Amino acid sequence: MKRLLFSLYGFAFFNKFLLLTPVYAIFMQENGLNDLQLSTMFIVSAIGTIVAQAPITMLTNKFGQRWSMILGQILKAVAILLWLVMPNYVGFVIGMFMWGAQAGFRSVAFEGLVYDSVHAYGARREYSKILGRKSTYESIGTALSAFGSLLMFMGYDWVTWASVGAILISMVCLMMVPYRPKQNKKSIRAGKQYTMRETFKTGIKICRKTPCLMSIMVLTLLVVNVPFLDDFLSPIALQIGIQTEYVGALSFVLLGCATLGQRFAYKFKKIPDLVLCCLIGAVGVGYLVFSAFYSLWGLGALGVAYMLFYGIYTLLYAQFQHMIPTRHRSVVLSLYTTLTYVVYMIVCGIIGLGGSLGSWRYSIMIQGILMMAVFAWAILGLYKKCPLADDTV
């Protein structure tokens, strides 16, 4: 079990420890992209994730979760190296599409690998705790990658190659994951080979047959995507007066807050559902406060909101995983990933629209209003009907 967790946490960290994270959006804008075009990059990434869902599910069922993840890591490395060769709109589009496909591998293969491996070791009750720690290592990796902006004096090429090195280390961590073939064989390989349409239809059918699974899935993807700002933190930092070489500091601070939320979420897995719903509303309030000030003075409210929504997401995602029938995990996670990136594309469109109006603050204000709407739906539509937090005993 210790080797398993060491390998999973190691992959989670190095998969996110990319020094180019805080600077690639700026790099794209320095090479001719305006605010709206920058938003389309993240939409292209989401399209890549959605289009890749059927092949990912097929590859995961056929070759297993670990080898599918390794293929995804190769795609990401090729994507970021492509930007060095083609630093233009076409090159950025192709690279973001490939990076999006890799995100699909992570959402389906890696999340399934984590749950199935933990379950095989008889640690199902510890899943929310392990999920929180895994997410914590991801956030730490992302937060430390914020220092990439300080290293830009060495050149974008150096930052890119250092990021490729981190990807290679993450692949080594995957190879260290100890498999239990007998326990995992059914959940990994039992699935039928689906087309994208069949995957979607089958996933919907499975969700409908499992009480509350669809509702918890939709709430989970809304909570994690509607307030998501990670990809836009660098240009936001520039707007509120942070110098280019220090833009990574904003990511470091906010993802530090996210790490706290994820790390200690498991301690609140028995939190009353009414309180959990109110905390969703508190995220919306935090975004509205930050949009009102839109300066360094408002970052406290945004930091609290980040800590809350990452913690809430950890609890909801654990509950969602517990509800999925084991033999259908890859299909349901593929459906979840598809719907997640549909919402993500819509959110990116909203953020891009706000940027085109002259400031990202308008986008953040709309995100806050949308989170209040999610809060209202959770209170009126789900409260007392479905268990929202991790219900393992």
Side-chain angles (χ1 to χ4, degrees), residues 158-209:
W158 188 91
V159 173
T160 299
W161 282 107
S163 299
V164 171
I167 294 173
L168 293 177
I169 296 175
S170 74
M171 294 168 66
V172 173
C173 292
L174 286 173
M175 296 302 298
M176 293 171 58
V177 174
Y179 257 34
R180 286 193 165 188
K182 292 182 179 179
Q183 288 89 336
N184 283 302
K185 187 174 181 180
K186 288 184 180 180
S187 63
I188 295 175
R189 301 182 185 275
K192 166 187 173 184
Q193 306 306 315
Y194 295 102
T195 64
M196 184 174 179
R197 181 179 179 183
E198 289 172 339
T199 298
F200 195 84
K201 290 176 64 176
T202 303
I204 293 289
K205 184 178 179 180
I206 295 168
C207 289
R208 286 179 175 175
K209 287 184 177 180

Side-chain angles (χ1 to χ4, degrees), residues 314-390:
T314 300
L315 295 176
L316 290 174
Y317 191 80
Q319 180 72 317
F320 167 58
Q321 283 275 25
H322 292 322
M323 290 182 172
I324 302 174
T326 301
R327 68 184 302 268
H328 297 299
R329 193 167 305 281
S330 292
V331 176
V332 175
L333 287 177
S334 181
L335 172 65
Y336 170 79
T337 303
T338 300
L339 294 177
T340 295
Y341 279 90
V342 169
V343 176
Y344 175 72
M345 285 192 292
I346 295 173
V347 172
C348 284
I350 292 172
I351 295 175
L353 178 61
S356 67
L357 294 175
S359 176
W360 300 109
R361 72 185 305 170
Y362 302 118
S363 309
I364 297 169
M365 184 182 300
I366 296 173
Q367 286 176 287
I369 294 172
L370 291 176
M371 281 303 293
M372 297 303 295
V374 174
F375 157 70
W377 175 59
I379 284 288
L380 300 177
L382 294 182
Y383 179 55
K384 292 186 177 181
K385 296 181 181 178
C386 297
L388 302 183
D390 183 355

Side-chain angles (χ1 to χ4, degrees), residues 1 4-5 8-13 16 106-119 123-140 216 220 224 258-267 269 309-324 329 333 336 388-392:
M1 188 66 178
L4 171 67
L5 295 180
L8 294 177
Y9 295 158
F11 172 81
F13 175 81
K16 293 291 187 177
R106 184 187 60 78
S107 297
V108 176
F110 183 60
E111 296 299 341
L113 174 64
V114 173
Y115 189 89
D116 288 339
S117 298
V118 170
H119 184 72
R124 182 179 182 274
R125 294 180 179 179
E126 300 296 315
Y127 175 69
S128 61
K129 181 178 181 179
I130 292 170
L131 176 64
R133 287 182 174 175
K134 185 267 296 182
S135 299
T136 296
Y137 281 104
E138 289 178 332
S139 293
I140 292 174
I216 298 300
T220 303
V224 75
T259 298
L260 290 175
Q262 293 167 333
R263 176 65 180 83
F264 297 104
Y266 76 95
K267 292 182 178 292
K269 66 180 184 179
F309 96 74
Y310 270 95
I312 295 167
Y313 166 69
T314 300
L315 295 176
L316 290 174
Y317 191 80
Q319 180 72 317
F320 167 58
Q321 283 275 25
H322 292 322
M323 290 182 172
I324 302 174
R329 193 167 305 281
L333 287 177
Y336 170 79
L388 302 183
D390 183 355
D391 62 353
T392 53

